[in-house]
């Protein structure tokens, strides 16, 4: 912004904790003093400092070499990265109107800044010169890969485009970022505006104690009278309510509100936002010489290599998923007929009857399982996995400034007792918090920036306990907990020298492998017997329930896989169009595409287009939602290595996994890393077996 009065500038700086050195460990800011307005001058200063560093890099007299150009570029912008991640996390986890406004404003400014960096002619000239003679530079493998990847990033940012095209790219990216922030805020506003008050036993019919407690906790948090029950649109409320509520009318109301997020006709309407973002992306692809945005995103910048390769995998699995879905629907219809339920099966009925079938066929009652899956017990379980696989020790910390009272902290040490980082967990749903689960890194270990310890945060939205009861998880919640911890370990275990290659800074169809792979250990019977203990009695999970859980592991895969694939296919189709749909045609496009693919009307995509935050919160997963399936091929095959060794914690397999997957970051080509870990490229059969899709 700039202030002509130097005294005023100094006064503002001294009052801004983001512009002052922090004495807290891990460079954590003083959250008690932090205000949304502090981010604007701090980020503007960090962006200015970053550009000054790049200008100095570009104009230095010395001829370009790896250290004064590539490593120097990697060192620049450290403070900016921290502030960017901090603002994004606070906006997602502690939203307020003031913070929303700052986030929207700075999202555009940061996108414009990144575009300026990508178009920095002086920096690119030096990188281009080094890239041209990279074979003669005697670079280490990670250094050569870093040079090649940075050079490719500059080309993708338009470094060789004419000045007018570069300026247009910058404008497109800035507008897209601003719209992405608006898209998320619209979804969050719709979630926050919904609350279904459950009045008396009639409205609570069928709901197990854990769900009743969760809705009572939500009512308490919102200041409703003692004994009230409130259902929110968080997944930890919606999914169990749809599975257990005997009130079909209320299930329909909740389902329609959940799938309708972003689809209202008022100020939170995401139709124009999503349509405009699709148009911007297509124009960006055209400026770069690609027929569609999916080609721009995936060609040469992914393991898939092309949009067609990703499409082929999705199509192949879709053809296997539909028959599995039909078999499940037949069992649901039989259960309904036996119970005397008439009329067509509706989307808000599926989870309810699926749970009935699961209880009947496999003797698994989700409500009977929940008392054994306490959040503290499952955290202890995943920490044990980290210790047995990677030698990590996590010790609680209670002396750190943290961004919310819900956040818990642990220091992380390696096998030799050396501190390698800080792990943070923000587990509970609350007002002003974005739904879902994610991992954020505030810093990653990298020698080039002089950072010795990582700081990573896992965010979830579990329903908190009430009246001294711990948070109780469904088994899906347990898998989510392990999944995000897999991302966290990817950040904590990183040993890359350069920030651009550290932790999760990898190709996006490789980034989900460490997270999805860790989910497998959540099903380890030995681990569950130790840590899944009844919150009141302390008794371990009964063998009968454990065996039922194992028997039922394939139940519902047809529904889960088809719902996921529907979203992934819509994503790919939208981003392969040379002319994206208009705002009013988006829902018709989604519906007609899925009808044409044969999806039954009783099923809805996991993420409808108007609340599909993976696609429209930013470019991260645009034309990339397929990566979860791509990574699942890898994770199922990778877990087979432990099964073949006869030990889920086999030391030699775990060492290879640590070195080649969790620690390597982007220092290795993913195909090379996987081949070295497994001795070959992945096979598809383990995924089909995991999903129960192999012939009997």
């Amino acid at each position: 912004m700039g202030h002509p009065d130097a005294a005023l500038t100094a006064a503002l700086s001294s009052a801004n904790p983001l512009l002052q050195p922090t004495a807290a460990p891990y460079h954590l800011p003083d959250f008690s003093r932090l205000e949304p307005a502090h981010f604007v001058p701090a980020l503007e200063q960090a962006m200015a400092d970053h550009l000054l560093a790049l200008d100095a890099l570009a104009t230095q007299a010395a001829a370009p070499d790896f250290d004064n150009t590539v490593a120097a570029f990697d060192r620049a912008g450290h403070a900016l990265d921290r502030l960017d991640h901090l603002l994004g996390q606070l906006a997602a986890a502690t939203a307020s109107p003031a913070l929303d406004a700052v986030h929207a404003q700075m999202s555009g400014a940061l996108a414009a800044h990144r575009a300026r960096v990508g178009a920095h002619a002086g920096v690119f000239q030096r990188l281009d010169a080094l890239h041209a003679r990279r074979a003669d530079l005697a670079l280490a493998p990670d250094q050569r890969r870093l040079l090649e990847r940075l050079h490719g990033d500059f080309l993708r940012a338009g470094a060789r485009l004419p000045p007018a095209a570069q300026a247009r790219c910058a404008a497109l990216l800035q507008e897209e970022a601003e719209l992405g922030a608006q898209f998320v805020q619209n979804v969050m506003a719709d979630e926050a505006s919904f609350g279904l008050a459950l009045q008396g036993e009639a409205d609570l019919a069928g709901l197990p104690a854990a769900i009743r407690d969760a809705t009572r906790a939500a009512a308490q948090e919102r200041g409703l009278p003692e004994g009230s029950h409130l259902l929110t649109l968080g997944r930890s409320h919606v999914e169990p309510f749809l599975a257990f509520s005997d009130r079909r009318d209320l299930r329909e109301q909740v389902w329609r509100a959940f799938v309708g997020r972003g689809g209202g006709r008022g100020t939170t309407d995401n139709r124009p936002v999503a349509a405009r973002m699709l148009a911007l992306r297509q124009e960006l692809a055209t400026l770069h010489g690609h027929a569609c945005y999916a080609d721009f995103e995936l060609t040469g910048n992914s393991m898939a290599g092309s949009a067609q390769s990703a499409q082929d995998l999705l199509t192949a699995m879709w053809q296997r998923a539909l028959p599995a879905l039909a078999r499940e629907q037949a069992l649901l219809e039989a259960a309904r007929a036996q119970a005397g339920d008439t009329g067509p099966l509706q989307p808000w009925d599926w989870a309810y009857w699926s749970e009935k079938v699961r209880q009947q066929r496999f003797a698994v009652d989700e409500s009977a399982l929940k008392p054994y899956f306490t959040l503290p017990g499952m955290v202890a379980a995943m920490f044990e996995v980290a210790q047995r696989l990677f030698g990590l020790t996590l010790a609680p910390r209670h002396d750190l400034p943290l961004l919310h009272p819900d956040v818990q902290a642990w220091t992380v040490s390696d096998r030799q007792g050396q501190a390698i980082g800080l792990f943070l967990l923000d587990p509970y749903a609350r007002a002003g918090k974005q739904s879902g689960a994610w991992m954020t890194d505030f810093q990653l270990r990298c020698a080039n920036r002089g950072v010795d310890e990582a700081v990573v945060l896992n965010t979830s939205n579990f329903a908190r306990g009430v009246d001294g009861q711990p948070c109780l998880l469904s088994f899906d919640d347990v898998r989510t907990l392990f999944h995000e911890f897999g991302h966290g370990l990817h950040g904590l275990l990183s040993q890359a020298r350069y920030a651009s290659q550290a932790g999760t800074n990898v190709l996006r169809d490789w980034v989900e492998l460490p997270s999805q792979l860790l989910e497998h250990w959540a099903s380890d019977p030995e681990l569950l017997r130790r840590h899944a203990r009844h919150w009141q009695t302390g008794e371990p999970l009964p063998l009968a329930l454990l065996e039922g859980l194992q028997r039922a592991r394939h139940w519902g895969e047809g529904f889960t896989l088809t719902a996921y694939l529907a979203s992934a296919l819509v994503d790919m189709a939208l981003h392969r169009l040379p002319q994206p749909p208009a705002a009013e045609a988006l829902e018709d496009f989604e519906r007609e595409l899925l009808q044409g693919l044969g999806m039954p009307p009783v099923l809805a995509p996991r993420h409808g287009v108007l609340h599909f935050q993976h696609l429209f919160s930013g470019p991260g997963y645009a034309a990339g939602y397929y990566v979860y399936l791509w990574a699942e091929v890898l994770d199922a095959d990778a877990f087979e290595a432990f099964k073949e060794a006869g030990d889920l914690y086999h030391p030699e397999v775990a060492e290879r996994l640590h070195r080649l997957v969790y620690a390597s970051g982007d220092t290795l080509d993913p195909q090379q890393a996987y081949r070295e870990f497994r001795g070959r490229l992945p096979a598809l059969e383990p995924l089909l077996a995991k999903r129960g899709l192999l012939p009997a």
Side-chain angles (χ1 to χ4, degrees):
M1 293 187 300
H3 298 280
D5 188 321
L8 177 59
T9 301
L12 289 171
S13 297
S14 66
N16 188 338
L18 297 177
L19 291 172
Q20 297 297 315
T22 175
Y26 307 102
H27 304 285
L28 294 170
D30 184 351
F31 289 101
S32 66
R33 295 175 52 214
L34 196 54
E35 300 289 342
H38 290 147
F39 278 98
V40 176
L43 281 165
E44 288 181 342
Q45 183 64 58
M47 288 187 287
D49 290 345
H50 190 202
L51 289 177
L52 285 173
L54 297 184
D55 289 343
L57 184 163
T59 57
Q60 63 186 298
D65 61 27
F66 184 88
D67 187 64
N68 70 21
T69 300
V70 180
F73 181 84
D74 182 78
R75 284 191 291 271
H78 187 189
L80 179 59
D81 289 345
R82 289 179 57 84
L83 288 170
D84 185 7
H85 291 182
L86 179 61
L87 174 58
Q89 179 62 29
L90 287 172
T94 60
S96 68
L99 192 58
D100 286 349
V102 168
H103 187 228
Q105 173 189 350
M106 297 314 297
S107 292
L110 286 162
H113 173 77
R114 287 188 285 269
R116 284 194 294 273
V117 171
H120 199 296
V123 173
F124 178 69
Q125 185 177 16
R126 294 176 70 88
L127 281 174
D128 200 33
L130 288 172
H131 186 264
R133 54 189 184 90
R134 60 192 182 281
D136 303 322
L137 297 178
L139 299 176
D142 63 330
Q143 293 176 325
R144 175 157 178 169
R145 180 166 174 82
L146 178 59
L147 171 57
E148 291 173 345
R149 295 274 290 144
L150 287 179
H151 187 263
D153 288 345
F154 267 79
L155 292 178
R156 287 170 50 76
R160 285 203 173 125
L161 293 178
Q166 286 187 0
R168 182 57 183 157
C169 283
L172 293 172
L173 292 170
Q174 179 172 352
E175 185 180 355
E176 182 192 13
E178 292 167 349
L179 289 169
Q182 184 62 52
F183 187 95
V184 172
Q185 289 170 18
N186 287 348
V187 175
M188 290 177 68
D190 281 357
E191 290 175 353
S193 67
F194 178 88
L196 176 62
L198 301 175
Q199 308 284 354
E201 190 58 34
D203 288 358
L204 297 168
L207 299 183
I211 304 175
R212 295 178 181 222
D213 290 341
T215 55
R216 188 154 55 91
Q220 288 178 1
E221 183 184 357
R222 287 157 180 78
L224 298 182
E226 182 68 25
S228 299
H229 292 265
L230 185 73
L231 191 81
T232 74
L233 287 186
R235 277 194 187 273
S236 63
H237 277 200
V238 170
E239 290 183 346
F241 185 83
L242 293 176
F244 289 102
S245 174
D246 291 336
R247 287 287 301 275
R248 191 171 190 246
D249 58 331
L250 296 184
R251 295 202 309 267
E252 178 179 1
Q253 184 179 343
V254 170
W255 183 87
R256 289 190 182 280
F258 190 67
V259 301
R261 292 168 297 157
R265 291 293 179 176
T267 58
T268 61
D269 187 356
N270 268 335
R271 293 175 184 84
V273 181
R276 179 60 179 160
M277 291 180 76
L278 289 168
L280 295 173
R281 289 170 180 170
Q282 180 56 30
E283 185 179 351
L284 184 68
T286 302
L287 285 169
H288 284 275
H290 289 277
C292 65
Y293 186 77
D295 285 343
F296 170 62
E297 275 296 316
L298 300 184
T299 302
N301 193 45
S302 64
M303 287 186 73
S306 69
Q308 189 60 52
S309 294
Q311 180 74 47
D312 290 345
L313 176 62
L314 294 173
T315 301
M317 291 301 293
W318 180 258
Q319 292 166 354
R320 292 177 180 269
L322 285 181
L325 180 73
R327 290 192 293 271
E328 289 173 12
Q329 184 169 353
L331 291 171
L332 264 60
E333 297 286 13
R336 292 179 65 225
Q338 185 178 14
D341 191 63
T342 59
L345 185 71
Q346 297 291 349
W348 47 89
D349 298 324
W350 188 287
Y352 180 79
W353 288 104
S354 179
E355 180 61 26
K356 298 292 187 192
V357 172
R358 182 161 73 153
Q359 292 180 24
Q360 293 167 5
R361 290 178 62 88
F362 306 108
V364 176
D365 180 352
E366 182 71 44
S367 64
L369 285 169
K370 259 194 169 186
Y372 295 90
F373 293 137
T374 68
L375 178 62
M378 294 301 97
V379 168
M382 72 184 191
F383 285 178
E384 180 185 322
V385 173
Q387 193 282 321
R388 295 180 68 183
L389 286 176
F390 307 125
L392 299 184
T393 301
L394 290 97
R397 290 286 295 267
H398 305 288
D399 60 333
L400 299 173
L402 300 172
L403 60 86
H404 191 276
D406 286 346
V407 179
Q408 304 163 48
W410 293 264
T411 55
V412 186
S413 302
D414 64 14
R415 203 180 299 275
Q416 289 73 42
Q418 178 70 39
I420 64 168
L422 182 71
F423 174 66
L424 306 172
L425 178 64
D426 184 1
Y428 303 123
R430 58 177 176 265
K433 187 176 183 183
Q434 183 178 325
S435 61
W438 63 92
M439 172 267 201
T440 303
D441 61 77
F442 294 123
Q443 67 182 34
L444 295 170
R445 288 192 295 164
C446 51
N448 191 47
R449 284 185 171 179
V451 180
D452 298 323
E453 296 186 59
V455 178
V456 302
L457 168 66
N458 280 177
T459 305
S460 303
N461 273 276
F462 305 134
R464 69 176 77 238
V466 293
D467 301 335
Q469 175 181 311
C471 170
L472 301 179
L473 307 178
S474 68
F475 190 62
D476 282 343
D477 290 337
V478 174
R479 282 197 293 255
T480 296
L481 188 72
F482 273 68
H483 178 101
E484 296 306 330
F485 190 53
H487 283 309
L489 290 175
H490 200 183
L492 289 163
L493 292 169
S494 175
Q495 294 178 357
R497 288 190 285 179
Y498 302 101
S500 306
Q501 296 177 319
T504 55
N505 293 319
V506 297
L507 297 181
R508 66 180 174 184
D509 44 11
W510 178 252
V511 75
E512 294 298 336
L513 170 59
S515 55
Q516 292 182 189
L517 179 57
L518 204 75
E519 291 183 43
H520 289 268
W521 278 270
S523 301
D524 175 13
E526 179 188 324
L527 187 77
L528 291 179
R529 286 285 289 171
R530 276 196 296 280
H531 295 286
R533 292 182 173 272
H534 197 283
W535 73 274
Q536 290 171 306
T537 68
E539 290 296 312
L541 183 67
L543 284 174
L545 281 177
L546 185 57
E547 290 166 357
L549 191 62
Q550 295 295 323
R551 288 194 305 271
R553 67 189 183 278
H554 293 148
W555 174 247
E557 286 290 354
F559 174 87
T560 302
L561 181 58
T562 308
Y564 159 75
L565 288 170
S567 294
L569 287 162
V570 168
D571 165 36
M572 194 58 65
L574 284 171
H575 289 105
R576 295 187 80 183
L577 288 174
Q579 183 65 45
E584 292 302 319
L586 274 172
E587 293 160 291
D588 290 339
F589 175 85
E590 177 184 58
R591 182 175 56 256
E592 291 166 8
L593 173 75
L594 295 176
Q595 284 177 351
L597 291 170
M599 189 172 88
V602 72
L603 188 70
R606 180 167 176 81
H607 303 287
V609 67
L610 299 184
H611 57 260
F612 204 163
Q613 295 179 75
H614 280 80
L615 264 59
F616 296 114
S617 64
Y621 284 86
Y625 195 59
Y626 78 92
V627 301
Y628 290 96
L629 181 62
W630 190 275
E632 196 174 357
V633 174
L634 300 174
D635 80 65
D637 186 78
F639 191 64
E640 283 293 311
F642 288 93
K643 294 165 70 174
E644 291 166 6
D647 180 0
L648 297 189
Y649 305 90
H650 193 279
E652 293 179 9
V653 181
E655 186 281 327
R656 292 201 309 273
L657 181 68
H658 182 179
R659 174 169 47 87
L660 295 165
V661 176
Y662 284 89
S664 61
D666 196 47
T667 62
L668 298 172
D669 175 77
Q671 300 259 15
Q672 174 193 345
Y674 194 86
R675 191 188 292 273
E676 288 188 33
F677 166 67
R678 197 69 171 97
R680 56 167 174 76
L681 292 178
L684 185 61
E685 285 72 19
L687 169 61
L688 299 178
K690 172 186 171 184
R691 288 281 189 174
L693 298 176
L694 286 175

